[in-house]
Every structure is written in structure tokens, then in C-alpha cells.
Amino acid sequence: MNGSVRVGHVLGVPLRMHWSAPVLIVLLAYGLGRETLPAWTPGRTGLVYAVASVIGAFLLMGSLLLHEAAHAVTARGKGVSVEDVTLWALGGMTQMGRPRTAKIAFLVAVSGPLTSLVIGGVAVGAGIGARALAGWGVPAAVLIWLGWANLLLGVFNLLPAAPLDGGRVVQAALWWRTGDRDRAERAAGRSGQIFGMLLIAAGWFSFVRGDGSGLWLALVGLFMMVVANAERQRAGVNTALRGVRAGEAMSSPVVTGADWLPVGRFIDEVAAHSRHSALPLLDFEGRPSGVVNLRALAAVPAGMREERRVREVAMPITRCTVATSDELLSEVLERARPGGAGMPVLVVDDGHLEGIVTAHDVSRLFQLHSLGITTAPPEATPR
């Protein structure tokens, strides 16, 4: 997610923090310390409320992290790749690959809400126990607030609308029943769009009636609509790419350049005569060694372009997405998705570069599919 930075690892998975997450902590602490605790446990000092509210807010953020960690652990246990976990103002998001079966998709989806419900039950029980032992005090109030927040989070996430976990559960059920994952994704995405619009309407209605929290509800609805729409579009692309091999989608022949050339000479002799923004490089033996894009070339100062070799500013082959011509394009793009090696895809057979697959090639296939053309001609397409 744009605007996030890596802050560590959780259970071996990179943990990222979006800039909006600290905003969430401040808002939660403010609401707990200024409204909830004074109403539940009146008569304490402002310092007590402030300290308790900060602790409660961080405990809730920790429970959100456990919610996402449950998704990540379940996914990895079932052989699904997990790229990272990001905490942000609307909770958390786990970036992972596509499950292979409907059963795995169901287990991954349901693990998060179940974790939140368990945490909520434990916290409420601990708060009731603390109240029975020591009376109705601030610690008991914080625990019960934490518990109800997690119970609400678990129930809310089980609503049948993508990208909520309940939407993933519905998607898995439809996938299992119909055998068509893309159709299930489109249906879940549609439900997410509808539910998002309802949340926006409800939030705006609450706001105009004087409830400031309505803006937050509307923001959640807007987020759901955007993500659900993106998932519907992705499902449409996956349908268009069904059965298509990388060799059928690639641009070939493709302009290449020697990786030992100086940047200046490479620009004059190769980049200036290519219609691609990403150019494959070949080593002395004619094997692909990486990819360089025009942005990286332009970043080299003019005075250094005769000194630096183009391979020094290129992405090495070890970080590129590489496929054979007979691989399914949908499976290749799973590796090339954001967080992976990225585009373009180098199509390599027996150590020789056959062509590349760019975002333009994928978009073209989708457009051909919308015209009722299900096969893509292999010739190169201009850019």
C-alpha cells in the first residue's frame, strides 16, 4: 500500500505501517479517554484516563495485528504465499497469493474473524473477572471496551461483502458450488460495491444529523467500493486470460541491448529506436541478464552516462519475472503482481529470450476478449 513503511516482521511476515495507523491510535485513545472511561468510571483524574486510553488503543491495534496474523499463518500453512501485513486507519490488510482451492480460501478468510471473536470473548471475560475481584475500575473498563471492540470487529468482518472476510467466505462458497473462481470473485465484488454504497449513505445521513462518526463510516464504505471494484476488474481480467499461454501474449521480436554498453551509447543505439519503456538486456553470451527502464536511464546524470554501464542501473534477472512460453499467463501474473518481481515478464526458453509480456499486452488481451476474440495473435504490438 502506498504511504506505508516497513516496521518489522510478525511471524516471519513483513509488517508495514501506513501513515494513517498512528492517526487511528490517536482517535481511539481520544474517544476512550475523553468519553468512554469518564462515563463508565467517573471520578478519576485526567492522567489516569489518559494513560488507560493509550494502553487501550495500543491493545486494540495489537488485536488487529493478531487478526491479520491469523490470516497470514493460515495462508502460509496451506501453501499460499504471503507478501506482507499492513496496518492502517481502517484496520489491517494481508497481501497474499490466490488460494488453490475453495476450501483453503474459506479457511484463510474465516481465520481472522474467529481470532477477533476469541480475543473479544477473552477480554470481556477478563474484564468481568477483574470487576468481580477488584470492583468496577479503570482496568476492568478497558478490558471490556477492548472485548466489545473485537467482538464488533469480528461480526462486522463476517458481513457478506468483499473485501470483508465475510465476502471472502461467500466467494469461497460460490467457488465450491459453481467451480468458477472468477465468477465467485465478481459476485463477491458486486456485493462489496452495494454494501459500500449503503455504508456511505448511512454515514452521510449520520453526519448531517450531527454525528461526526458518520464520516468514518462513509470512509469505510468508500474504501470497500474502491477495493470491491478493483477485485471485480481483476476477476474480469482473469477470465479473459483463462487458458492463454505466455507465448501467445508476448511481444516478439523485442528490441534488446548489450548489458555492457555505457548508458549514453545504450540510449543512442537502443532506447532511441524502441517503442518499449522497459528494455531487456543480454550478456556476452546472448542470454537475458535483466531489464532497464527509461526512468532509470534518465536518472543517470549526463556527465556520468559514458562511465556507467547500463547493467549497473538495470534490474538484474534474479529480480525479474521470468516465464517459459508454455506457462499459463494467469499463473505467471501471480508472480508479477505488486509486491512480486513486477512487469514486464521475460519469456525465456532454453536460455534464449523469446519475447516480453507488458501491461499493454495484458490490457490488449482483455480488450480482445471484450470483443469476443479469445485468442491473441503472437505478433508484436506497437506502444
Side-chain angles (χ1 to χ4, degrees):
M1 179 184 294
N2 293 332
S4 61
V5 296
R6 182 178 294 188
V7 294
H9 288 77
V10 54
L11 303 175
V13 178
L15 173 63
R16 304 183 66 87
M17 183 79 70
H18 191 257
W19 63 265
S20 59
V23 176
L24 175 63
I25 295 176
V26 171
L27 292 176
L28 290 174
Y30 181 83
L32 181 60
R34 294 283 294 184
E35 299 177 4
T36 306
L37 290 179
W40 289 4
T41 58
R44 272 66 172 186
T45 66
L47 179 62
V48 170
Y49 291 141
V51 172
S53 64
V54 171
I55 293 174
F58 275 100
L59 286 175
L60 183 55
M61 287 297 294
S63 63
L64 290 175
L65 180 59
L66 289 176
H67 177 113
E68 297 303 321
H71 287 308
V73 170
T74 305
R76 294 182 69 177
K78 297 299 181 180
V80 180
S81 62
V82 179
E83 297 168 8
D84 57 43
V85 171
T86 302
L87 294 181
W88 70 308
L90 296 182
M93 179 179 298
T94 301
Q95 192 81 358
M96 66 181 71
R98 301 180 81 193
R100 298 185 307 274
T101 65
K103 179 181 178 180
I104 294 176
F106 173 82
L107 293 175
V108 172
V110 80
S111 60
L114 288 181
T115 300
S116 293
L117 293 176
V118 170
I119 294 174
V122 170
V124 170
I128 294 175
R131 180 182 181 181
L133 293 175
W136 183 243
V138 172
V142 171
L143 285 172
I144 290 179
W145 172 85
L146 177 66
W148 278 112
N150 274 278
L151 291 174
L152 179 62
L153 175 67
V155 172
F156 179 76
N157 266 279
L158 284 174
L159 293 175
L164 297 178
D165 295 324
R168 311 292 188 202
V169 172
V170 171
Q171 176 184 321
L174 290 175
W175 180 11
W176 173 78
R177 182 172 182 177
T178 65
D180 190 334
R181 172 163 58 181
D182 297 331
R183 177 183 174 186
E185 287 183 353
R186 290 195 299 272
R190 190 179 302 111
S191 67
Q193 289 179 305
I194 295 173
F195 192 75
M197 287 188 290
L198 293 176
L199 285 182
I200 292 175
W204 180 250
F205 181 75
S206 298
F207 177 72
V208 297
R209 291 178 63 87
D211 185 0
S213 63
L215 284 179
W216 190 262
L217 190 64
L219 181 61
V220 173
L222 179 61
F223 164 75
M224 288 186 59
M225 283 188 60
V226 171
V227 176
N229 181 62
E231 293 193 358
R232 285 192 65 189
Q233 291 181 346
R234 186 180 68 176
V237 172
N238 290 333
T239 300
L241 299 182
R242 186 176 297 169
V244 176
R245 306 285 175 176
E248 296 171 331
M250 69 182 182
S251 293
S252 179
V254 60
V255 175
T256 61
D259 62 4
W260 67 86
L261 290 176
V263 170
R265 184 179 168 188
F266 184 89
I267 293 174
D268 294 337
E269 298 181 3
V270 182
H273 305 287
S274 173
R275 294 183 178 180
H276 293 81
S277 59
L279 302 166
L281 301 178
L282 304 179
D283 60 17
F284 280 108
E285 299 180 3
R287 296 174 302 187
S289 61
V291 173
V292 66
N293 58 55
L294 298 182
R295 183 180 301 175
L297 295 173
V300 180
M304 299 180 60
R305 291 179 179 176
E306 298 306 320
E307 301 174 7
R308 300 193 67 178
R309 303 291 179 181
V310 67
R311 60 172 169 255
E312 298 176 24
V313 298
M315 179 183 294
I317 191 70
T318 54
R319 293 175 52 199
C320 297
T321 304
V322 180
T324 60
S325 59
D326 61 348
E327 282 190 80
L328 288 174
L329 185 59
S330 57
E331 297 178 357
V332 175
L333 293 181
E334 268 301 301
R335 307 199 303 268
R337 58 188 290 186
M343 300 286 276
V345 176
L346 300 182
V347 181
V348 180
D349 288 329
D350 298 324
H352 298 288
L353 181 68
E354 301 295 333
I356 63 173
V357 180
T358 66
H360 175 89
D361 294 315
V362 176
S363 176
R364 180 172 178 272
L365 284 174
F366 180 68
Q367 293 170 8
L368 289 173
H369 183 269
S370 68
L371 295 173
I373 304 173
T374 57
T375 57
E379 69 270 15
T381 56
R383 278 159 186 75

